[in-house]
Amino acid sequence: MNFFDIITNSHNDTLARTGIIHTPHGDIHTPAFIVVGTSAAVRAVDTDSLAGLGAQAVLANTYHLYLQPGMEIIRQHGGFAPMMGWTGPTFTDSGGFQVFSLGTAFGSHVSKFAKGEPEQGVVGLEKKEKPKKLATIDDEGVTFRSHKNGSSHRFTPESSMEIQWDLAADIIFAFDECTSPTDTLEYQKKALDRTHAWAKRSLDRHTELDTDNRQALFGVVQGGAFPDLRKYSAQTLGAMEFDGYGIGGSFTKSDLQTAVMWATTELPEGKPRHLLGIGDPIDFFLGIEAGIDTFDCVSPTRIARHGGFYTYDGMAHIANRQHRTSMLPLDTHCDCSTCTRYTRAYIAHLFHAREMSAATLLSVHNLHFIVRLVDTIRDTLRDGSYSEFKAAFLARYYSGKL
């Protein structure tokens, strides 16, 4: 079976393209936003609502599902998707991001994005005393202490493949080391060699497990904000027989597109590319122009739980005083189930009353907004109106805040 078909290519001197990823549970039309359901659940949103808001696929987290409910329960359900009642395409990450979040980044404010250019270690961030990290890395794998109860667990490339096999996702990722934007060039090189060795081990174990080609395996390009490392990683992984590629790790926010292109220009053109954990509206335009096909990010639901919501005029917050009496929907241009039924005043009331349904209504809207945004980008790439849509959307969205 052909896994990926490119439908249109090379728009306005960019690497933007549209395509179709074929999976056993349906096609994914790309570019596409993949909704994150970390623990086999999208925060505050039920599965029926996911289908209603236009989600094409769901991505779950290997580390979190391994800890809870555990692999025996998931095996009894036949995978995480049947367990959550989702019948469409699925992804799982490898647990590699937890190497970063429970290791270098644990207890700090370090994120995927640096605040400046990479130099000798610290990139615009102050070193502060922080709790003892929960992940220890060696060349064979990673030892975790559970963030839930402190119990010890061991992840290797082989065990990550075995866990993801039982999770039964259509698309899975090789085990990798996600580095910090504060890491030195010397450490980035060491971590990259480890990631490439783990990629080969992941590929070997996946080949042993997936004898009937049920799962697609993506290698993960790393290298931080260093162009030579990004290109070298893409070339190394591109020479391996992966079905597609993820681009992970840390970036400089202002140079996201450039950093992504360091990788995409070196990767095989006929295979899909996924940008891990990126979700600001402008990032979709930049990533797609750099040749990205799919994205995932927790931002839409995380923002919603804190009262934030997207509009075509920028981000807004439901706790702001003017929304308490507003009879408008969250966004007058949105046709999601939240905007067609409820006013800002009602949702503000729910939020101030600490009703759980406030997070649900805001999450449904935010997911619909982002899914539709990427869908519209795809449509405009196909019909030739992309440049006009991009200019109009970005000028309006970033012109000011509500």
Side-chain angles (χ1 to χ4, degrees):
M1 181 184 72
N2 188 17
F3 177 63
F4 181 56
D5 291 319
I6 296 174
I7 306 302
T8 60
N9 212 341
S10 300
H11 289 270
N12 301 319
D13 299 320
T14 73
L15 301 179
R17 62 200 192 166
T18 69
I20 303 175
I21 299 173
H22 305 286
T23 82
H25 293 94
D27 291 344
I28 303 170
H29 294 264
T30 65
F33 179 76
I34 311 304
V35 175
V36 178
T38 300
S39 298
V42 178
R43 288 285 182 93
V45 180
D46 67 277
T47 305
D48 289 341
S49 295
L50 287 181
L53 60 84
Q56 295 192 68
V58 173
L59 180 146
N61 183 285
T62 294
Y63 166 81
H64 287 283
L65 286 172
Y66 164 81
L67 288 180
Q68 185 180 343
M71 299 316 300
E72 181 56 34
I73 293 295
I74 294 170
R75 280 191 290 267
Q76 289 180 33
H77 282 91
F80 86 86
M83 184 172 68
M84 69 178 287
W86 176 255
T87 59
T90 51
F91 292 65
T92 47
D93 62 12
S94 68
F97 182 73
Q98 278 66 44
V99 175
F100 166 68
S101 63
L102 298 178
T104 302
F106 186 71
S108 74
H109 296 290
V110 179
S111 72
K112 288 170 64 71
F113 286 108
K115 296 181 180 178
E117 296 304 317
E119 288 189 77
Q120 300 301 317
V122 177
V123 188
L125 296 166
E126 296 181 359
K127 290 186 176 180
K128 296 180 180 180
E129 187 175 343
K130 58 184 180 181
K132 185 177 180 181
K133 61 186 180 180
L134 298 182
T136 304
I137 307 167
D138 58 63
D139 287 341
E140 291 303 308
V142 180
T143 300
F144 294 96
R145 284 191 297 118
S146 167
H147 66 286
K148 294 181 177 295
N149 59 18
S151 58
S152 180
H153 304 272
R154 181 73 171 169
F155 267 39
T156 65
E158 293 79 9
S159 68
S160 176
M161 295 300 97
E162 292 159 6
I163 294 166
Q164 291 186 81
W165 177 253
D166 286 337
L167 292 173
D170 297 313
I171 298 171
I172 67 174
F173 288 89
F175 195 55
D176 65 302
E177 180 180 354
C178 178
T179 53
S180 168
T182 64
D183 287 330
T184 64
L185 175 59
E186 180 181 3
Y187 186 82
Q188 291 278 6
K189 290 179 177 178
K190 180 178 180 180
L192 194 60
D193 288 340
R194 182 181 289 136
T195 285
H196 293 165
W198 287 359
K200 178 62 167 60
R201 288 167 57 188
S202 296
L203 189 58
D204 289 345
R205 183 61 181 132
H206 174 257
T207 301
E208 294 172 351
L209 291 168
D210 191 31
T211 56
D212 56 358
N213 297 314
R214 280 192 286 152
Q215 285 184 323
L217 176 62
F218 284 23
V220 181
V221 175
Q222 293 286 356
F226 298 92
D228 291 346
L229 296 189
R230 283 281 176 186
K231 292 177 182 179
Y232 169 64
S233 184
Q235 292 166 355
T236 301
L237 295 175
M240 300 183 189
E241 292 300 317
F242 287 106
D243 299 296
Y245 299 91
I247 299 176
S250 53
F251 302 92
T252 302
K253 183 70 170 177
S254 61
D255 289 333
L256 172 66
Q257 185 177 63
T258 301
V260 171
M261 288 183 69
W262 294 333
T264 54
T265 53
E266 303 294 335
L267 290 171
E269 184 177 355
K271 295 183 178 182
R273 307 153 183 160
H274 181 92
L275 188 54
L276 289 149
I278 302 297
D280 193 54
I282 194 172
D283 297 336
F284 300 124
F285 293 93
L286 298 177
I288 288 166
E289 290 178 6
I292 295 298
D293 303 297
T294 53
F295 304 79
D296 76 271
C297 192
V298 299
S299 290
T301 52
R302 176 176 290 168
I303 291 168
R305 293 195 301 277
H306 295 281
F309 63 95
Y310 301 106
T311 81
Y312 277 90
D313 294 300
M315 280 291 302
H317 198 287
I318 200 65
N320 289 348
R321 180 176 298 177
Q322 69 266 32
H323 303 313
R324 284 190 176 230
T325 57
S326 174
M327 294 297 105
L328 294 173
L330 295 177
D331 190 273
T332 56
H333 299 279
C334 182
D335 60 358
C336 75
S337 60
T338 298
C339 287
T340 55
R341 297 182 66 185
Y342 304 106
T343 64
R344 294 186 183 189
Y346 176 63
I347 300 170
H349 153 65
L350 296 176
F351 184 79
H352 289 289
R354 299 186 179 181
E355 291 286 349
M356 290 185 291
S357 53
T360 296
L361 296 179
L362 290 168
S363 294
V364 166
H365 166 74
N366 283 353
L367 287 170
H368 181 273
F369 185 95
I370 294 299
V371 166
R372 187 174 67 170
L373 172 60
V374 180
D375 287 352
T376 303
I377 292 174
R378 180 177 68 245
D379 292 341
T380 59
L381 288 171
R382 289 179 176 174
D383 68 22
S385 61
Y386 170 75
S387 295
E388 293 80 5
F389 172 71
K390 174 189 175 183
F393 177 88
L394 295 181
R396 181 171 179 178
Y397 187 86
Y398 291 101
S399 64
K401 303 297 181 181
L402 290 181

